[in-house]
Amino acid sequence: MTFTFTVTPADWGRIAPELILVVMTLILMLVDLVLPHEGEKRTKHSGPANFAILPVVALLGLAGALAATIVLFVSGDQHRAFNEMVGSDWGTLFAYLIILSASALGVLFSPPYLKRLNLVHQGEYYALLLFATVGMMLMAAATSFITVFLGLEMLSLALYILCSFVARRKASQESGMKYFLLSSFASAILLYGVALTYGATGSTSFIGVANFVNTTLAHSAAGARPILLIIAMGLLIVGFAFKISAVPFQAWTPDVYQGAPAPVTAFMSVGTKAAALIAFARVFGFIFDPARADWVPVVWAIAVLTIVGGNLMALVQSNVKRLLAYSSVAHAGYLLIGIVVGKTLGASAILFYLLCYTFLNLGAFGVVSMLEHVDNSGSNASDLRGLWYRRPLLAGLLAFFLLALAGFPPMAGFAAKYYLFYAALVGGHPELLIIGVLASVLGMYYYLRIIAGMFMEQAAAPAVATASAGGSGSAPASSARGSARTKASARTVSGGLATAVAVKPVSGKLAKVNEPATVEIEESQATGLNAFAWVGLALAALGTLAMGTVLPFWLVNLAQMAAQTMLK
């Protein structure tokens, strides 16, 4: 057996977005080395004193990759690069837009979060975020099973570390360990599926496997099909289902999402799902389409279980990060409808849904990142109760994104679900349309419950209120305790170790005890780096609104053209 591998300059041009990101990641690490550090000398526990320069460098790299993607859209040849291993078709470039948008918003939400938690290792953080982005792009662009696995491992290795990045938080360490262990099993299963596919077909290239399937399986009876290939398809489904958090492979999702830093959770909730789903659609909608009778019933069952199970499990959640995790599970079920429908219609529905989902889901997690404390609190239903009276803009934005996730018009969530359910109906699966609509109605309850708590309930009064209301004799002591607690909180915030949130006063005495200190604390937080997060929230809100009103018709046509090239 002979193998000839040739590389041309055009091949490098076809992966220009990935090359730009890799180069900018190396430059970012060099910048991290030369930046002035806090303190008199550098140690492994110190980091750059400036929290704004490195995210700007990361954003420049993402902007360069986005510009290269647009250039390839306009003047690219859409040929596969590096011996048929990496695609540069419109489907791949559309996936790049999704992943780069998710990465950019994740970077924007990070600076105030890192400063507030005093996480000094910024260079490593942004470098890992960009390397994870490159891995996601490679997985979405893969036209060979080898590239699929390469991209999967590249994004996974970076996310293992990012999930456990808050070293002093046990929940973060647990998050990284759970993701590492369970993801390792899933990767091994996926790799075993790839090995069996190679054993059955003699090729790891999508083109080679597709030729084998078309010539061997398309005209044979179901019972005569190679059992090795049937097993391989089953293992591949399990591997992809884990990465997109499909039931029954979703057990890792709520714990990992809750324990990981909120900006990392926001990024991986969209980026990983986009990369895995596009690879899933390419493999089963393109390669194994002639064998639909063998795998569609399995994917259909997983889709129904994921839609129903994700929404039911979200009903009982009191933590917003866990609620959004199970919401992400349910949305993965909706996206699996596109896999079942298959071909151009199903793939275009997946691409359009993912682009809409990027802005509305990252927007919701972006608000959570601004509310999260150093001890991982701040996102429980009790913490959000009465948020409208304390931080009305954040409460309004969170309500906006939750309504979009629920599918209310005119936000992007409605347009995305409408086109996906339309694809299910036209593609011959009206039962998935009915199940999806009923599950969406069920899902509205847990989104509206959080919104009702923010706008219609008062925040729980702190312990000092009970003491000060007990009588004149106890007022001085309680006031002194409240003052000491407030001073300690102020010191913690100034050191970047926690977040304090003002509580809407419920009595005159409480107002006198708490108002001056809490106003001073909030003003100390609302400076400098919060501008990054507000820009990210503004972009997410604009994207959510625009793709639900003025852009859906144009974007749907673009997604259809992209799907046609992806499935060739």
Side-chain angles (χ1 to χ4, degrees):
M1 179 179 176
T2 60
F3 178 75
T4 303
F5 182 76
T6 57
V7 178
T8 65
D11 287 337
W12 297 106
R14 291 168 191 145
I15 63 164
E18 290 95 328
L19 289 179
I20 291 173
L21 269 188
V22 170
V23 171
M24 288 303 296
T25 303
L26 298 176
I27 292 174
L28 184 146
M29 290 190 285
L30 291 175
V31 172
D32 179 47
L33 287 176
V34 301
L35 283 177
H37 276 223
E38 295 176 336
E40 297 180 358
K41 61 179 182 180
R42 295 171 180 259
T43 69
K44 65 178 182 179
H45 300 297
S46 68
N50 190 303
F51 277 75
I53 294 177
L54 293 178
V56 169
V57 175
L59 289 171
L60 287 175
L62 292 167
L66 184 61
T69 301
I70 295 172
V71 170
L72 288 176
F73 255 120
V74 175
S75 58
D77 57 14
Q78 301 188 33
H79 291 168
R80 286 175 286 273
F82 296 101
N83 209 51
E84 306 289 329
M85 296 183 70
V86 182
S88 65
D89 52 82
W90 276 23
T92 297
L93 300 177
F94 200 102
Y96 288 174
L97 295 179
I98 298 168
I99 295 168
L100 291 172
S101 298
S103 183
L105 290 175
V107 170
L108 286 171
F109 295 142
S110 296
Y113 187 91
L114 296 179
K115 177 64 176 177
R116 194 165 67 243
L117 272 67
N118 197 30
L119 299 175
V120 296
H121 299 290
Q122 303 171 58
E124 297 94 316
Y125 177 89
Y126 292 111
L128 288 168
L129 203 64
L130 294 186
F131 276 133
T133 304
V134 174
M136 293 169 184
M137 293 169 70
L138 280 176
M139 189 173 181
T143 55
S144 167
F145 283 109
I146 300 299
T147 314
V148 169
F149 189 73
L150 176 64
L152 174 63
E153 287 304 296
M154 190 172 183
L155 72 91
S156 297
L157 288 172
L159 289 177
Y160 297 152
I161 304 171
L162 287 172
C163 287
S164 57
F165 204 78
V166 188
R168 61 181 177 272
R169 183 194 291 172
K170 289 184 178 179
S172 181
Q173 297 294 300
E174 180 185 351
S175 169
M177 183 57 67
K178 283 184 176 180
Y179 190 54
F180 168 69
L181 291 175
L182 296 176
S183 182
S184 298
F185 283 115
S187 298
I189 291 172
L190 183 68
L191 184 59
Y192 194 27
V194 171
L196 292 183
T197 302
Y198 176 75
T201 65
S203 177
T204 57
S205 167
F206 286 1
I207 296 296
V209 176
N211 290 336
F212 176 88
V213 172
N214 285 323
T215 57
T216 305
L217 301 183
H219 305 294
S220 64
R225 294 176 182 178
I227 188 64
L228 195 63
L229 191 60
I230 302 299
I231 297 173
M233 288 191 289
L235 294 173
L236 291 172
I237 289 173
V238 171
F240 285 126
F242 175 89
K243 282 301 175 183
I244 65 174
S245 307
V247 174
F249 312 104
Q250 87 299 339
W252 62 275
T253 309
D255 292 336
V256 171
Y257 279 27
Q258 184 180 12
V264 174
T265 303
F267 167 60
M268 70 181 293
S269 69
V270 172
T272 305
K273 191 176 271 74
L277 267 162
I278 292 167
F280 199 168
R282 209 186 285 267
V283 170
F284 283 86
F286 165 57
I287 298 175
F288 295 130
D289 186 67
R292 288 179 62 83
D294 296 311
W295 60 263
V296 163
V298 177
V299 178
W300 187 97
I302 292 175
V304 173
L305 286 174
T306 306
I307 293 170
V308 177
N311 281 294
L312 287 177
M313 287 183 282
L315 289 175
V316 296
Q317 302 303 318
S318 59
N319 183 281
V320 175
K321 288 178 80 175
R322 293 184 72 87
L323 183 147
L324 290 174
Y326 282 117
S327 166
S328 176
V329 171
H331 284 280
Y334 299 137
L335 285 160
L336 283 175
I337 294 175
I339 303 292
V340 174
V341 173
K343 300 194 177 179
T344 300
L345 183 60
S348 63
I350 290 173
L351 290 173
F352 178 66
Y353 196 106
L354 282 170
L355 186 58
C356 295
Y357 183 71
T358 297
F359 292 95
L360 52 94
N361 199 58
L362 266 93
F365 274 113
V367 175
V368 171
S369 74
M370 296 191 70
L371 298 172
E372 187 172 298
H373 301 179
V374 67
D375 60 353
N376 206 27
S377 63
S379 57
N380 289 322
S382 57
D383 299 316
L384 296 178
R385 190 176 297 127
L387 183 65
W388 169 254
Y389 302 103
R390 306 190 304 273
R391 307 185 74 173
L393 188 53
L394 283 181
L397 284 170
L398 183 55
F400 174 79
F401 292 123
L402 291 178
L403 289 173
L405 284 167
F408 283 89
M411 282 83 82
F414 174 78
K417 285 185 177 179
Y418 179 87
Y419 184 53
L420 190 68
F421 294 157
Y422 166 80
L425 181 62
V426 175
H429 293 278
E431 73 285 356
L432 291 178
L433 163 65
I434 296 171
I435 294 170
V437 170
L438 292 177
S440 296
V441 174
L442 177 65
M444 292 178 185
Y445 169 76
Y446 53 81
Y447 293 122
L448 293 175
R449 186 186 63 194
I450 298 297
I451 295 172
M454 292 191 297
F455 286 85
M456 299 180 183
E457 299 180 16
Q458 299 289 340
V464 65
T466 304
S468 60
S472 58
S474 62
S478 62
S479 177
R481 286 195 298 270
S483 176
R485 187 182 296 110
T486 302
K487 289 178 181 178
S489 298
R491 285 196 300 271
T492 305
V493 170
S494 64
L497 296 177
T499 301
V501 180
V503 178
K504 183 176 184 286
V506 296
S507 68
K509 291 182 180 179
L510 182 60
K512 290 179 182 178
V513 173
N514 281 348
E515 266 187 348
T518 53
V519 170
E520 181 180 342
I521 290 169
E522 285 202 349
E523 287 176 354
S524 70
Q525 288 181 30
T527 57
L529 297 172
N530 277 348
F532 282 95
W534 285 115
V535 170
L537 290 175
L539 291 174
L542 287 174
T544 300
L545 193 59
M547 283 189 288
T549 53
V550 298
L551 295 180
F553 301 104
W554 175 73
L555 284 174
V556 166
N557 291 332
L558 181 61
Q560 289 173 346
M561 291 187 289
Q564 289 172 358
T565 64
M566 184 176 71
L567 299 177
K568 281 184 178 179

mmCIF file of all heavy atoms in Angstrom, residues 352 356 400 408-416 541-555:
data_model
loop_
_atom_site.group_PDB
_atom_site.id
_atom_site.type_symbol
_atom_site.label_atom_id
_atom_site.label_comp_id
_atom_site.label_asym_id
_atom_site.label_seq_id
_atom_site.Cartn_x
_atom_site.Cartn_y
_atom_site.Cartn_z
ATOM 1 N N PHE A 352 -28.482 27.247 10.833
ATOM 2 C CA PHE A 352 -29.202 28.456 11.211
ATOM 3 C C PHE A 352 -29.532 28.454 12.700
ATOM 4 O O PHE A 352 -29.386 29.474 13.384
ATOM 5 C CB PHE A 352 -30.478 28.583 10.378
ATOM 6 C CG PHE A 352 -31.311 29.788 10.726
ATOM 7 C CD1 PHE A 352 -30.831 31.068 10.490
ATOM 8 C CD2 PHE A 352 -32.561 29.641 11.300
ATOM 9 C CE1 PHE A 352 -31.589 32.182 10.812
ATOM 10 C CE2 PHE A 352 -33.334 30.748 11.626
ATOM 11 C CZ PHE A 352 -32.842 32.022 11.377
ATOM 12 N N CYS A 356 -28.222 31.280 15.632
ATOM 13 C CA CYS A 356 -29.144 31.987 16.529
ATOM 14 C C CYS A 356 -28.856 31.646 17.982
ATOM 15 O O CYS A 356 -28.808 32.528 18.853
ATOM 16 C CB CYS A 356 -30.586 31.632 16.188
ATOM 17 S SG CYS A 356 -31.141 32.166 14.560
ATOM 18 N N PHE A 400 -34.690 39.013 28.814
ATOM 19 C CA PHE A 400 -34.717 39.043 27.353
ATOM 20 C C PHE A 400 -34.135 37.754 26.764
ATOM 21 O O PHE A 400 -34.726 37.127 25.878
ATOM 22 C CB PHE A 400 -33.937 40.266 26.871
ATOM 23 C CG PHE A 400 -33.752 40.352 25.384
ATOM 24 C CD1 PHE A 400 -34.774 40.807 24.564
ATOM 25 C CD2 PHE A 400 -32.552 39.986 24.796
ATOM 26 C CE1 PHE A 400 -34.604 40.884 23.191
ATOM 27 C CE2 PHE A 400 -32.363 40.064 23.426
ATOM 28 C CZ PHE A 400 -33.398 40.524 22.625
ATOM 29 N N PHE A 408 -39.893 32.888 22.267
ATOM 30 C CA PHE A 408 -40.861 33.960 22.070
ATOM 31 C C PHE A 408 -40.426 34.856 20.909
ATOM 32 O O PHE A 408 -39.249 35.218 20.802
ATOM 33 C CB PHE A 408 -40.994 34.809 23.343
ATOM 34 C CG PHE A 408 -41.825 34.170 24.416
ATOM 35 C CD1 PHE A 408 -41.235 33.325 25.354
ATOM 36 C CD2 PHE A 408 -43.184 34.398 24.494
ATOM 37 C CE1 PHE A 408 -41.986 32.731 26.345
ATOM 38 C CE2 PHE A 408 -43.950 33.811 25.484
ATOM 39 C CZ PHE A 408 -43.357 32.968 26.412
ATOM 40 N N PRO A 409 -41.353 35.235 20.028
ATOM 41 C CA PRO A 409 -41.014 36.223 18.995
ATOM 42 C C PRO A 409 -40.921 37.597 19.639
ATOM 43 O O PRO A 409 -41.508 37.821 20.700
ATOM 44 C CB PRO A 409 -42.204 36.129 18.024
ATOM 45 C CG PRO A 409 -43.344 35.613 18.860
ATOM 46 C CD PRO A 409 -42.740 34.751 19.920
ATOM 47 N N PRO A 410 -40.168 38.536 19.051
ATOM 48 C CA PRO A 410 -39.486 38.445 17.754
ATOM 49 C C PRO A 410 -38.006 38.088 17.886
ATOM 50 O O PRO A 410 -37.218 38.454 17.024
ATOM 51 C CB PRO A 410 -39.644 39.873 17.228
ATOM 52 C CG PRO A 410 -39.515 40.717 18.468
ATOM 53 C CD PRO A 410 -40.132 39.917 19.587
ATOM 54 N N MET A 411 -37.614 37.417 18.961
ATOM 55 C CA MET A 411 -36.218 37.092 19.164
ATOM 56 C C MET A 411 -35.784 35.910 18.280
ATOM 57 O O MET A 411 -36.611 35.217 17.693
ATOM 58 C CB MET A 411 -35.948 36.779 20.633
ATOM 59 C CG MET A 411 -35.839 38.027 21.503
ATOM 60 S SD MET A 411 -37.457 38.631 21.994
ATOM 61 C CE MET A 411 -37.821 37.586 23.369
ATOM 62 N N ALA A 412 -34.470 35.678 18.240
ATOM 63 C CA ALA A 412 -33.914 34.671 17.334
ATOM 64 C C ALA A 412 -34.357 33.260 17.681
ATOM 65 O O ALA A 412 -34.413 32.398 16.804
ATOM 66 C CB ALA A 412 -32.385 34.750 17.357
ATOM 67 N N GLY A 413 -34.670 33.006 18.947
ATOM 68 C CA GLY A 413 -35.092 31.664 19.327
ATOM 69 C C GLY A 413 -36.339 31.204 18.596
ATOM 70 O O GLY A 413 -36.460 30.032 18.235
ATOM 71 N N PHE A 414 -37.259 32.132 18.362
ATOM 72 C CA PHE A 414 -38.489 31.787 17.637
ATOM 73 C C PHE A 414 -38.177 31.441 16.184
ATOM 74 O O PHE A 414 -38.661 30.436 15.652
ATOM 75 C CB PHE A 414 -39.476 32.949 17.703
ATOM 76 C CG PHE A 414 -40.708 32.745 16.865
ATOM 77 C CD1 PHE A 414 -41.737 31.920 17.300
ATOM 78 C CD2 PHE A 414 -40.830 33.355 15.627
ATOM 79 C CE1 PHE A 414 -42.872 31.719 16.522
ATOM 80 C CE2 PHE A 414 -41.958 33.157 14.842
ATOM 81 C CZ PHE A 414 -42.982 32.334 15.292
ATOM 82 N N ALA A 415 -37.361 32.266 15.531
ATOM 83 C CA ALA A 415 -37.026 32.016 14.126
ATOM 84 C C ALA A 415 -36.285 30.688 13.971
ATOM 85 O O ALA A 415 -36.539 29.921 13.030
ATOM 86 C CB ALA A 415 -36.182 33.171 13.582
ATOM 87 N N ALA A 416 -35.366 30.395 14.901
ATOM 88 C CA ALA A 416 -34.593 29.153 14.817
ATOM 89 C C ALA A 416 -35.497 27.930 14.965
ATOM 90 O O ALA A 416 -35.411 26.972 14.187
ATOM 91 C CB ALA A 416 -33.510 29.150 15.901
ATOM 92 N N ALA A 541 -27.327 40.827 22.605
ATOM 93 C CA ALA A 541 -28.712 41.302 22.512
ATOM 94 C C ALA A 541 -29.047 41.739 21.089
ATOM 95 O O ALA A 541 -30.121 41.419 20.556
ATOM 96 C CB ALA A 541 -28.944 42.452 23.500
ATOM 97 N N LEU A 542 -28.134 42.474 20.446
ATOM 98 C CA LEU A 542 -28.370 42.916 19.066
ATOM 99 C C LEU A 542 -28.469 41.717 18.124
ATOM 100 O O LEU A 542 -29.330 41.676 17.233
ATOM 101 C CB LEU A 542 -27.245 43.858 18.624
ATOM 102 C CG LEU A 542 -27.255 45.267 19.229
ATOM 103 C CD1 LEU A 542 -26.005 46.032 18.812
ATOM 104 C CD2 LEU A 542 -28.509 46.027 18.800
ATOM 105 N N GLY A 543 -27.569 40.733 18.309
ATOM 106 C CA GLY A 543 -27.630 39.543 17.468
ATOM 107 C C GLY A 543 -28.914 38.763 17.664
ATOM 108 O O GLY A 543 -29.528 38.298 16.698
ATOM 109 N N THR A 544 -29.345 38.639 18.909
ATOM 110 C CA THR A 544 -30.588 37.914 19.198
ATOM 111 C C THR A 544 -31.787 38.591 18.553
ATOM 112 O O THR A 544 -32.669 37.930 17.997
ATOM 113 C CB THR A 544 -30.785 37.823 20.725
ATOM 114 O OG1 THR A 544 -29.683 37.118 21.301
ATOM 115 C CG2 THR A 544 -32.071 37.101 21.067
ATOM 116 N N LEU A 545 -31.813 39.914 18.629
ATOM 117 C CA LEU A 545 -32.952 40.647 18.065
ATOM 118 C C LEU A 545 -32.888 40.687 16.544
ATOM 119 O O LEU A 545 -33.905 40.481 15.857
ATOM 120 C CB LEU A 545 -32.970 42.071 18.627
ATOM 121 C CG LEU A 545 -34.245 42.876 18.403
ATOM 122 C CD1 LEU A 545 -35.451 42.177 19.009
ATOM 123 C CD2 LEU A 545 -34.109 44.275 18.981
ATOM 124 N N ALA A 546 -31.690 40.923 15.975
ATOM 125 C CA ALA A 546 -31.564 41.049 14.517
ATOM 126 C C ALA A 546 -31.881 39.738 13.817
ATOM 127 O O ALA A 546 -32.544 39.732 12.774
ATOM 128 C CB ALA A 546 -30.153 41.521 14.148
ATOM 129 N N MET A 547 -31.430 38.620 14.388
ATOM 130 C CA MET A 547 -31.668 37.343 13.718
ATOM 131 C C MET A 547 -33.085 36.817 13.931
ATOM 132 O O MET A 547 -33.460 35.799 13.371
ATOM 133 C CB MET A 547 -30.641 36.309 14.167
ATOM 134 C CG MET A 547 -29.297 36.533 13.504
ATOM 135 S SD MET A 547 -28.121 35.209 13.796
ATOM 136 C CE MET A 547 -27.752 35.491 15.505
ATOM 137 N N GLY A 548 -33.853 37.519 14.736
ATOM 138 C CA GLY A 548 -35.250 37.171 14.850
ATOM 139 C C GLY A 548 -36.165 38.081 14.058
ATOM 140 O O GLY A 548 -37.366 37.820 13.946
ATOM 141 N N THR A 549 -35.601 39.140 13.462
ATOM 142 C CA THR A 549 -36.435 40.120 12.768
ATOM 143 C C THR A 549 -35.970 40.368 11.327
ATOM 144 O O THR A 549 -36.654 39.996 10.377
ATOM 145 C CB THR A 549 -36.436 41.449 13.553
ATOM 146 O OG1 THR A 549 -35.071 41.865 13.791
ATOM 147 C CG2 THR A 549 -37.148 41.294 14.887
ATOM 148 N N VAL A 550 -34.799 40.972 11.147
ATOM 149 C CA VAL A 550 -34.402 41.433 9.812
ATOM 150 C C VAL A 550 -33.490 40.466 9.064
ATOM 151 O O VAL A 550 -33.397 40.522 7.839
ATOM 152 C CB VAL A 550 -33.704 42.819 9.914
ATOM 153 C CG1 VAL A 550 -34.654 43.851 10.462
ATOM 154 C CG2 VAL A 550 -32.441 42.738 10.778
ATOM 155 N N LEU A 551 -32.803 39.566 9.767
ATOM 156 C CA LEU A 551 -31.812 38.719 9.098
ATOM 157 C C LEU A 551 -32.240 37.290 8.798
ATOM 158 O O LEU A 551 -31.537 36.609 8.040
ATOM 159 C CB LEU A 551 -30.531 38.659 9.955
ATOM 160 C CG LEU A 551 -29.760 39.965 10.133
ATOM 161 C CD1 LEU A 551 -28.529 39.722 10.990
ATOM 162 C CD2 LEU A 551 -29.369 40.564 8.796
ATOM 163 N N PRO A 552 -33.315 36.759 9.374
ATOM 164 C CA PRO A 552 -33.547 35.314 9.200
ATOM 165 C C PRO A 552 -33.714 34.858 7.762
ATOM 166 O O PRO A 552 -33.234 33.777 7.392
ATOM 167 C CB PRO A 552 -34.818 35.052 10.024
ATOM 168 C CG PRO A 552 -35.468 36.373 10.178
ATOM 169 C CD PRO A 552 -34.348 37.354 10.217
ATOM 170 N N PHE A 553 -34.383 35.635 6.912
ATOM 171 C CA PHE A 553 -34.603 35.177 5.534
ATOM 172 C C PHE A 553 -33.282 35.077 4.769
ATOM 173 O O PHE A 553 -33.025 34.095 4.074
ATOM 174 C CB PHE A 553 -35.571 36.128 4.832
ATOM 175 C CG PHE A 553 -36.905 36.232 5.528
ATOM 176 C CD1 PHE A 553 -37.220 37.332 6.294
ATOM 177 C CD2 PHE A 553 -37.828 35.204 5.423
ATOM 178 C CE1 PHE A 553 -38.433 37.419 6.943
ATOM 179 C CE2 PHE A 553 -39.051 35.277 6.066
ATOM 180 C CZ PHE A 553 -39.359 36.389 6.833
ATOM 181 N N TRP A 554 -32.434 36.086 4.918
ATOM 182 C CA TRP A 554 -31.141 36.060 4.244
ATOM 183 C C TRP A 554 -30.253 34.963 4.822
ATOM 184 O O TRP A 554 -29.584 34.232 4.081
ATOM 185 C CB TRP A 554 -30.463 37.418 4.381
ATOM 186 C CG TRP A 554 -29.088 37.446 3.826
ATOM 187 C CD1 TRP A 554 -28.718 37.431 2.507
ATOM 188 C CD2 TRP A 554 -27.862 37.456 4.570
ATOM 189 N NE1 TRP A 554 -27.351 37.445 2.395
ATOM 190 C CE2 TRP A 554 -26.797 37.464 3.634
ATOM 191 C CE3 TRP A 554 -27.560 37.475 5.928
ATOM 192 C CZ2 TRP A 554 -25.470 37.485 4.034
ATOM 193 C CZ3 TRP A 554 -26.236 37.482 6.322
ATOM 194 C CH2 TRP A 554 -25.202 37.490 5.381
ATOM 195 N N LEU A 555 -30.255 34.806 6.159
ATOM 196 C CA LEU A 555 -29.407 33.798 6.783
ATOM 197 C C LEU A 555 -29.871 32.383 6.471
ATOM 198 O O LEU A 555 -29.056 31.468 6.330
ATOM 199 C CB LEU A 555 -29.378 34.016 8.304
ATOM 200 C CG LEU A 555 -28.519 35.180 8.786
ATOM 201 C CD1 LEU A 555 -28.688 35.393 10.284
ATOM 202 C CD2 LEU A 555 -27.043 34.947 8.454
#
